Amino acid sequence: MKKIIITALSILALVSCQSDDAYEDLNRDPKNPTQVNASFLFNSATKSLVDQMTSTNVNTNIFRMLGQHWTETTYVDEANYDFNTRNITNAHWSEMYRDVILDLNTAKNNTEATPISPTFSQETKDSRKAQIEILSIYAWANLVETFGDIPYSQSLDPGTYILPKYDDAATIYADLLTRLNATIPKLSNSGFGAIDPIYSGNVASWKKFGNSLKLRMGIRIVDVPSLSTVARSAITTAIADGVLTSNADNASLQYESASPNTNPVWVDLVQSGRSDFVVANTLVDFMNNLSDPRREVYFKQNLGSGVYKGGPYGANNSFLAYTQIGDIVANPTNPASLLDYSEVNFYLADAAERSISGTPALAAEFYNKGITASFEQWGASGITSYLLNPNVAYATAPGSWRVKIGNQLWLAMYNRGFEAWTAWRTYDIPGFNIPAVSELPVPTRYTYPISEQNLNKTNYTEASAAIGGDEQTTKLFWDVN
């Protein structure tokens, strides 16, 4: 440091006409920049978000178990809803706050601080901030849907709020919709352009993604009496402005064949040589009863051609004795989605049944489109006969419209564990199993991290009381049925 100062002073004496900013640059270590490029932060946060939602590492998340698509073999704590031994809730909490939301917030601030120039227009700045905002809202909504009340208004100002308070979950959710309404119209050009890992700067696709997220969030809270008007407005405006219209619009990250950009499921299962999971009987039995053709692509046929047998959920299962995860899921280049066309169609069917957009007569059309989109996305054949199956056809499938939509949404969300679990929470679909060892009921939320209980105790205690107790079975504000 002394050498740097002496050098700087010498140059100051010799070249006094240089600007002060030039000499400040001499004290900056190029290997440890004080301001990280917004593009790097945006890409890093995007990958962190998709990785977190996709990974099947039990130290990261256990959403595939909560959705009862997969179950475990040797180590069965997580399938029996043990959140604390591996500190799973803290892993999700810290990843979303630190590596997604904080990085996106810094990217937004750095973008705002970048001066307008011939190569960086105001439109580009606004579009980049809008793309950042949409992903931030996605992450915030996920935290609310996972935990309930969370630190929000004070969470990104550690200099002022070392121990942030928890905000009311319903209030946060309404504010997120307000933010989404404000930011979607600001998408006017390619923003991050070719370096955007989701849409390569396609403005139309970003708008569809933003509107589809708004549709999803509206459906999520439409049954909450105090938010019904907000929800219905979100649903109608999202549909009117344009949601995803094909699988080409899916908000997906395309993984690569070389590390560190491979799909995390491949890392967890193939690269690591693990045999920790088989497909759960909850899913296999349901699909067997429907003769669902997607079994051929969802699963391996390791028990023989056309033979599928799910491991009893939560039990110690033999890896070789039960149906294993399919090759597509474990492919290193398999893309992972934050939101897809199939999912959107089921929400459109829901909106039609409620006469929010369209009429109940249109629900079957969207329901069929949702199933068809899933088949197309997975490259599965047999869609025509499947839709004619009396237990699948919208007019004859068993259960209320909520159960019909919920069941097929749950099936379509294979490989998207969080949304599979949330389909169960949203539509109250029957058929989930009680785990064999713990015999605990299926959780309706993640409990708060132990670190919050220890380090932010006062605010944690208040938040726990506000939501009705920090329990796995406490229903969140939007889970009202």
Side-chain angles (χ1 to χ4, degrees):
M1 181 59 71
K2 288 180 180 179
K3 292 180 180 179
I4 294 173
I5 294 171
I6 291 170
T7 302
L9 290 174
S10 299
I11 295 173
L12 179 63
L14 292 170
V15 196
S16 59
C17 62
Q18 295 285 334
S19 69
D20 291 340
D21 288 342
Y23 305 121
E24 289 181 16
D25 289 341
L26 296 171
N27 283 309
R28 292 184 181 138
D29 181 354
K31 295 183 179 179
N32 294 285
T34 56
Q35 180 169 305
V36 181
N37 186 280
S39 300
F40 175 84
L41 288 167
F42 176 75
N43 275 275
S44 176
T46 301
K47 186 174 185 299
S48 292
L49 174 59
V50 179
D51 282 356
Q52 177 61 22
M53 300 307 298
T54 304
S55 174
T56 189
N57 187 318
V58 291
N59 296 298
T60 300
N61 75 64
I62 58 169
F63 296 139
R64 284 182 173 83
M65 261 84 74
L66 296 181
Q68 293 203 1
H69 281 172
W70 294 6
T71 190
E72 293 174 292
T73 54
T74 306
Y75 309 103
V76 299
D77 291 344
E78 293 72 35
N80 284 275
Y81 310 136
D82 179 352
F83 289 171
N84 295 323
T85 296
R86 296 182 188 272
N87 212 2
I88 295 163
T89 63
N90 184 73
H92 189 62
W93 178 281
S94 60
E95 182 71 12
M96 296 296 275
Y97 271 111
R98 181 193 62 219
D99 295 330
V100 179
I101 292 172
L102 181 58
D103 277 1
L104 288 172
N105 189 63
T106 306
K108 180 186 72 174
N109 292 338
N110 291 355
T111 300
E112 180 60 36
T114 303
I116 301 302
S117 70
T119 58
F120 189 72
S121 67
Q122 185 64 51
E123 281 190 339
T124 298
K125 176 181 284 193
D126 290 343
S127 287
R128 287 189 175 192
K129 289 167 60 180
Q131 292 168 6
I132 292 168
E133 179 77 338
I134 289 171
L135 288 182
S136 297
I137 292 166
Y138 186 106
W140 280 119
N142 176 271
L143 283 171
V144 171
E145 294 160 4
T146 305
F147 294 97
D149 292 8
I150 56 170
Y152 178 66
S153 59
Q154 297 181 356
S155 63
L156 297 178
D157 188 6
T160 304
Y161 304 106
I162 298 175
L163 300 174
K165 72 173 184 178
Y166 287 57
D167 295 89
D168 172 69
T171 303
I172 298 171
Y173 218 78
D175 185 63
L176 293 174
L177 283 169
T178 299
R179 288 170 58 179
L180 203 51
N181 285 331
T183 204
I184 294 173
K186 295 178 182 178
L187 291 161
S188 58
N189 75 6
S190 62
F192 286 101
I195 60 176
D196 158 22
I198 297 179
Y199 290 122
S200 299
N202 186 307
V203 181
S205 294
W206 270 102
K207 288 181 177 179
K208 290 178 182 180
F209 177 31
N211 284 318
S212 299
L213 177 59
K214 185 162 66 167
L215 170 64
R216 175 206 278 177
M217 293 174 66
I219 291 293
R220 203 80 90 216
I221 61 171
V222 71
D223 289 324
V224 181
S226 62
L227 294 175
S228 178
T229 300
V230 171
R232 287 172 175 266
S233 175
I235 293 166
T236 54
T237 57
I239 295 171
D241 292 341
V243 294
L244 307 187
T245 55
S246 74
N247 280 320
D249 294 329
N250 292 349
S252 299
L253 179 66
Q254 177 62 59
Y255 286 101
E256 300 174 4
S257 58
S259 297
N261 296 314
T262 51
N263 188 301
V265 177
W266 176 83
V267 175
D268 297 337
L269 300 185
V270 180
Q271 186 184 51
S272 60
R274 307 291 298 187
S275 54
D276 294 332
F277 305 99
V278 292
V279 186
N281 61 340
T282 316
L283 179 63
V284 174
D285 291 350
F286 196 94
M287 297 185 79
N288 282 344
N289 288 337
L290 298 178
S291 299
D292 195 314
R294 285 172 291 185
R295 291 172 298 174
E296 293 185 7
V297 287
Y298 280 9
F299 316 140
K300 280 186 178 180
Q301 299 189 54
N302 56 291
L303 302 180
S305 179
V307 178
Y308 307 100
K309 182 180 180 182
Y313 185 78
N316 289 95
N317 293 296
S318 165
F319 181 71
L320 298 177
Y322 296 102
T323 294
Q324 298 165 10
I325 288 84
D327 291 335
I328 292 177
V329 179
N331 189 304
T333 64
N334 190 40
S337 297
L338 295 175
L339 201 154
D340 64 39
Y341 177 55
S342 176
E343 178 186 0
V344 164
N345 275 294
F346 290 115
Y347 299 146
L348 292 174
D350 183 317
E353 280 287 359
R354 299 175 191 272
S355 298
I356 298 174
S357 178
T359 64
L362 291 173
E365 177 183 345
F366 291 120
Y367 171 87
N368 288 343
K369 285 182 176 179
I371 299 172
T372 302
S374 174
F375 272 67
E376 291 175 351
Q377 185 178 3
W378 285 88
S381 59
I383 181 62
T384 301
S385 59
Y386 184 71
L387 292 176
L388 293 174
N389 184 328
N391 289 318
V392 175
Y394 197 70
T396 56
S400 66
W401 68 262
R402 295 178 63 90
V403 170
K404 296 176 186 183
I405 291 173
N407 279 335
Q408 288 298 330
L409 173 60
W410 175 67
L411 290 176
M413 292 300 98
Y414 185 68
N415 202 35
R416 293 183 56 205
F418 183 84
E419 294 306 329
W421 176 41
T422 305
W424 174 80
R425 293 187 292 169
T426 300
Y427 293 103
D428 302 291
I429 52 178
F432 272 32
N433 290 309
I434 298 299
V437 178
S438 68
E439 298 185 346
L440 292 174
V442 183
T444 51
R445 63 181 287 271
Y446 266 11
T447 50
Y448 291 125
I450 294 173
S451 59
E452 284 293 296
Q453 301 176 34
N454 294 332
L455 302 177
N456 196 10
K457 187 173 182 179
T458 299
N459 291 318
Y460 158 78
T461 302
E462 291 178 358
S464 299
I467 66 171
D470 184 23
E471 305 294 337
Q472 295 180 357
T473 53
T474 298
K475 284 201 169 189
L476 301 181
F477 77 96
W478 52 270
D479 189 4
V480 296
N481 289 311

